[in-house]
Amino acid sequence: MTEMPARPILELDGVGRIFARKPDIAARIAHRLVGSPLPARVRAVDDVSFTVQPGEVLGLVGESGCGKSTLARMISGILTPTSGRIRFEGGDMADMSAGDRRRAGLAVQMVFQDPMSSLNPRLRVVDIIGEAPVAHGLVRPADQDGYVCDMMERVGLDPTRRYLYAHQFSGGQRARIGIARALAVQPRVLICDESTAALDVSIQSQILNLFMDLRAQMGLTYIFVSHDLGVVQHISDRIAVMYLGRVVELAGAEDLFAAPQHPYTRALLAEVPRLEPKKRQFTGIKGEMPSPLNPPSGCHFHPRCAVAVPACATRRPALRALGAGRMAACDLIGEEVAD
Amino acid sequence: MRQPALEVTNLAVSFATRRGDLAAVRGIGFHVLPGEVLGLVGESGSGKSITGLATMGLIDPPGRIVSGSVKVNGHEEIGRSEAELRKLRGRQISMIFQDPSTTLNPVLRVDTQMIEAVQAHEKGVSHSAARDRCIAALTAVGIPSPEERLLAYPHQFSGGMRQRLAIAIALLNRPAVLIADEPTTALDVTIQSQVLGEVQQLAAETGTALVWITHDLSVVAGLADRIAVMYAGRIVETGTVAEILADPRHPYTAGLIASVPSRNRRGTRLAQIPGSAPSLVAMPTGCPFHPRCSSADAICRAEVPPPRPVAGRTAACHHPLSAAAEVQG
């Protein structure tokens, strides 16, 4: 289902984001005069390209600091890319008129990890969910109450509780409020950034089921960001694996878990705790994730890679197609097969 | 049977509030043998962390231990003075917490904190001998170049390294019992398995009994010998890992296992437990799980089920599932 002829709903083309502190005047003068270094720059996301088809669920996985949340925030329009383009239904957000950009922005909504810090504690739920659609003219002010009730029912909340505050709900119900708020502006794409990470297992499964029901009912497209590979495996059609700002592998969920190609993906999948009642020897990938301030040269993964060759330290492997809709950024994959 | 390293019987902890006493732990019992790993599994609010703190004697007012006994190597801990408990903690029984940055002193160098921990429990250990033990402990948990790292401050370590540091300090005096309260929850999977690997090896080498508190069944699946599942302040099921995971008898355990995404076929609806865990202020009568249970009836609403032996393990349920019963979603 990855080879759909339909026009992609999202296209990312060489998207990158650099975070840098603006050097103050003293640092700039020192740099001019004696060549002292400018403040460090972090390349949080580095040249990421992929497309998402309408109705697809794309999982974005990686360890902390790999840039998955930064990428999600750029797609949702909260952050702007420092390089590359993000096109929504063919149109580049950066080239749009203000009105078009607002409409495109509404079509991509985000569901955050921690509902407590993303829901206004001083607003009643009826306003948390109903404010945006009224402000954007999707719903007349007189219809707000009924619209909110409808949204609450859709996500499995009791509409009679709409005049309560967010803190009066349980964790799972708060997650539902966050989802209802995102849905209220009638988005086409929902970006879920660790949306179930703070929930207990029994509640997490309720919310994952809700996401899948909503997809079936409303034809939503999802970008599902998570560090929990079990969750991503369950819900995604395709999965992109990130390491230090780059996508290292992109494949259909079943293919990826059945036969991971990139050495990092292989190591990562081997570490996932499984629900098998068997004592196992935990080993772990050697070493730790290097600092994004000073990433290794060439392939970012080479210092920890079990199969690295000297060339990996100098040459950056491109993300190349391996057939059947799969892509991986490792120059050794073809050679291994040839051996 | 060997003497358990840790034996907890009928432990109850409650917290005094304006709305009356809230019972967080309601009479639980378990034991851990030397060298054994017990996984204490439960969702938020089930009382698993309070159980860990109570076995360390770390319940502060308004909380108090209402009843029960905690025996470490056969010696009763409850009722001891704070001074006696201080001698026990770190030597007989140690604890590691979820967030190591809150358990390490940020303004002291690592060597100061570690040498202090050695000398506090053993009078007459020289500074250099204590230092050597610290270096050995850091090496054992896989911290590279330990001599240099001893001179660093905790903030100079990464998250995974800091958790290793906390584990090294907890194991410095080779305690009989180590309580680990979600120590890998904040870590990435690759770092988590490094830390799990080191703890697993150390517990086996030193014969330390390990209580691993977690909400994540898949972590204890590969680590523990036995599992105790907690719900609303009680242990609802105890058994070996194989028994619990392959053939759960308590409906809550079965529901919990069924809701793990990797247990379900990709793309299908996940099995889910309806509702959410009860609040301590509004505990249902009878079995605390009955409002969420599909097989609940009149007796479940009226009487708290006592832990009973079922097929080799213990389950607290009026209607335990039969072998290989299918769980309804």
Side-chain angles (χ1 to χ4, degrees):
Chain A
M1 71 188 300
T2 53
E3 247 77 50
M4 272 183 285
R7 184 171 68 160
I9 191 162
L10 278 171
E11 285 171 89
L12 276 69
D13 184 9
V15 172
R17 171 76 200 197
I18 293 170
F19 289 104
R21 207 178 59 210
K22 217 172 168 194
D24 58 18
I25 183 126
R28 284 206 300 272
I29 292 172
H31 177 70
R32 279 277 172 77
L33 295 180
V34 295
S36 61
L38 287 172
R41 290 142 52 94
V42 176
R43 199 179 283 273
V45 174
D46 184 5
D47 193 19
V48 169
S49 305
F50 57 75
T51 58
V52 185
Q53 300 295 337
E56 190 180 29
V57 181
L58 180 79
L60 215 51
V61 296
E63 296 176 86
S64 5
C66 73
K68 57 188 191 299
S69 286
T70 305
L71 185 60
R73 274 154 200 260
M74 283 195 286
I75 298 171
S76 71
I78 297 173
L79 289 172
T80 49
T82 44
S83 59
R85 301 200 158 256
I86 298 175
R87 276 186 282 273
F88 175 73
E89 297 195 315
D92 189 333
M93 297 266 213
D95 302 334
M96 288 179 188
S97 68
D100 284 345
R101 194 180 310 147
R102 198 167 57 233
R103 268 189 291 283
L106 282 182
V108 183
Q109 285 296 312
M110 195 143 172
V111 179
F112 296 91
Q113 169 170 5
D114 178 8
M116 226 31 215
S117 61
S118 56
L119 300 177
N120 190 331
R122 290 165 180 259
L123 288 188
R124 296 175 194 277
V125 168
V126 66
D127 291 318
I128 291 177
I129 299 174
E131 190 180 33
V134 170
H136 288 287
L138 299 169
V139 174
R140 281 182 301 151
D143 299 336
Q144 182 185 340
D145 216 49
Y147 187 73
V148 169
C149 291
D150 182 40
M151 282 296 146
M152 289 180 79
E153 268 169 18
R154 190 164 270 186
V155 299
L157 286 168
D158 177 6
T160 59
R161 302 183 70 196
R162 64 189 180 279
Y163 296 110
L164 300 181
Y165 293 94
H167 73 264
Q168 292 168 295
F169 290 81
S170 72
Q173 289 169 333
R174 273 182 226 141
R176 289 175 196 268
I177 297 173
I179 296 166
R181 179 181 59 177
L183 290 178
V185 294
Q186 299 160 10
R188 309 274 313 280
V189 180
L190 216 50
I191 298 178
C192 307
D193 187 4
E194 302 276 12
S195 306
T196 62
L199 303 173
D200 278 320
V201 188
S202 68
I203 307 297
Q204 170 178 281
S205 60
Q206 295 174 0
I207 300 296
L208 290 176
N209 282 341
L210 174 64
F211 278 133
M212 289 198 283
D213 292 345
L214 292 171
R215 178 196 186 189
Q217 289 163 15
M218 308 168 74
L220 291 170
T221 306
Y222 287 95
I223 308 261
F224 208 90
V225 180
S226 180
H227 69 283
D228 186 331
L229 288 150
V231 169
V232 172
Q233 176 184 18
H234 186 80
I235 201 164
S236 309
D237 298 317
R238 278 194 307 153
I239 295 176
V241 183
M242 291 185 72
Y243 186 74
L244 275 181
R246 296 174 183 169
V247 170
V248 296
E249 185 160 0
L250 183 64
E254 265 157 39
D255 294 343
L256 187 86
F257 278 85
Q261 294 294 315
H262 195 282
Y264 175 65
T265 318
R266 269 188 251 162
L268 190 66
L269 296 190
E271 299 314 328
V272 181
R274 291 276 158 194
L275 205 54
E276 273 141 28
K278 186 175 74 189
K279 277 259 185 183
R280 51 182 274 194
Q281 192 57 53
F282 293 97
T283 45
I285 306 179
K286 65 176 176 177
E288 294 200 8
M289 183 101 122
S291 159
L293 277 170
N294 185 20
S297 60
C299 171
H300 283 343
F301 188 58
H302 84 263
R304 302 173 72 187
C305 182
V307 296
V309 297
C312 296
T314 53
R315 192 177 50 187
R316 172 182 174 170
L319 189 65
R320 57 197 174 88
L322 301 171
R326 307 192 60 151
M327 300 176 96
C330 178
D331 288 339
L332 301 175
I333 289 171
E335 289 170 30
E336 244 177 330
V337 178
D339 280 348
Chain B
M1 199 167 97
R2 284 181 297 165
Q3 185 184 46
L6 175 67
E7 190 170 16
V8 174
T9 24
N10 197 28
L11 180 71
V13 182
S14 62
F15 287 80
T17 69
R18 266 181 287 176
R19 285 195 264 181
D21 271 12
L22 295 187
V25 175
R26 303 173 173 235
I28 66 166
F30 60 87
H31 68 273
V32 199
L33 298 173
E36 194 182 35
V37 184
L38 174 77
L40 195 59
V41 181
E43 297 186 280
S44 4
S46 61
K48 58 191 193 301
S49 291
I50 298 296
T51 304
L53 292 173
T55 48
M56 285 289 286
L58 288 174
I59 299 288
D60 287 328
R64 70 193 168 87
I65 293 177
V66 181
S67 68
S69 118
V70 174
K71 284 186 180 147
V72 176
N73 277 342
H75 299 289
E76 181 61 50
E77 263 198 58
I78 290 180
R80 284 187 192 243
S81 70
E82 184 57 29
E84 286 174 315
L85 282 174
R86 275 185 76 105
K87 281 192 196 139
L88 280 177
R89 281 185 217 129
R91 184 175 190 130
Q92 288 291 319
I93 178 162
S94 271
M95 187 156 181
I96 41 181
F97 297 88
Q98 177 167 353
D99 182 4
S101 53
T102 59
T103 55
L104 298 167
N105 189 329
V107 299
L108 293 182
R109 280 196 333 218
V110 169
D111 58 348
T112 321
Q113 309 192 28
M114 291 188 78
I115 290 168
E116 181 188 26
V118 175
Q119 291 184 327
H121 290 289
E122 272 178 67
K123 298 283 170 275
V125 180
S126 75
H127 190 82
S128 64
R131 198 184 157 77
D132 288 342
R133 262 172 64 183
C134 297
I135 291 172
L138 291 184
T139 314
V141 293
I143 294 183
S145 48
E147 289 91 346
E148 290 162 40
R149 300 305 268 163
L150 268 182
L151 303 178
Y153 288 89
H155 74 265
Q156 294 169 304
F157 288 75
S158 68
M161 284 296 168
R162 230 179 273 151
Q163 195 55 277
R164 290 194 176 133
L165 200 56
I167 295 169
I169 295 177
L171 291 175
L172 263 182
N173 294 300
R174 302 205 157 206
V177 179
L178 177 65
I179 316 265
D181 188 2
E182 306 246 14
T184 61
T185 305
L187 304 176
D188 279 317
V189 273
T190 60
I191 308 297
Q192 165 172 291
S193 49
Q194 290 174 354
V195 171
L196 286 177
E198 268 128 26
V199 168
Q200 201 174 34
Q201 201 185 340
L202 285 172
E205 279 169 13
T206 59
T208 298
L210 194 59
V211 180
W212 196 274
I213 300 173
T214 182
H215 70 280
D216 190 344
L217 267 172
S218 27
V219 165
V220 289
L223 180 74
D225 300 295
R226 286 186 302 123
I227 292 182
V229 181
M230 284 192 76
Y231 187 78
R234 291 195 173 88
I235 290 180
V236 295
E237 188 164 1
T238 333
T240 65
V241 173
E243 284 168 349
I244 300 277
L245 293 184
D247 184 21
R249 294 304 172 94
H250 195 285
Y252 174 66
T253 319
L256 205 57
I257 293 169
S259 17
V260 173
S262 58
R263 264 291 161 106
N264 288 261
R265 213 158 52 77
R266 217 185 68 73
T268 56
R269 280 181 69 85
L270 289 163
Q272 61 181 43
I273 306 177
S276 51
S279 141
L280 289 183
V281 287
M283 198 55 78
T285 56
C287 171
F289 188 61
H290 86 253
R292 304 175 75 186
C293 184
S294 57
S295 48
D297 61 11
I299 187 168
C300 302
R301 289 184 277 275
E303 282 174 36
V304 177
R308 275 185 286 241
V310 181
R313 92 291 303 268
T314 312
C317 180
H318 291 300
H319 309 292
L321 303 168
S322 46
E326 281 303 305
V327 196
Q328 287 118 35

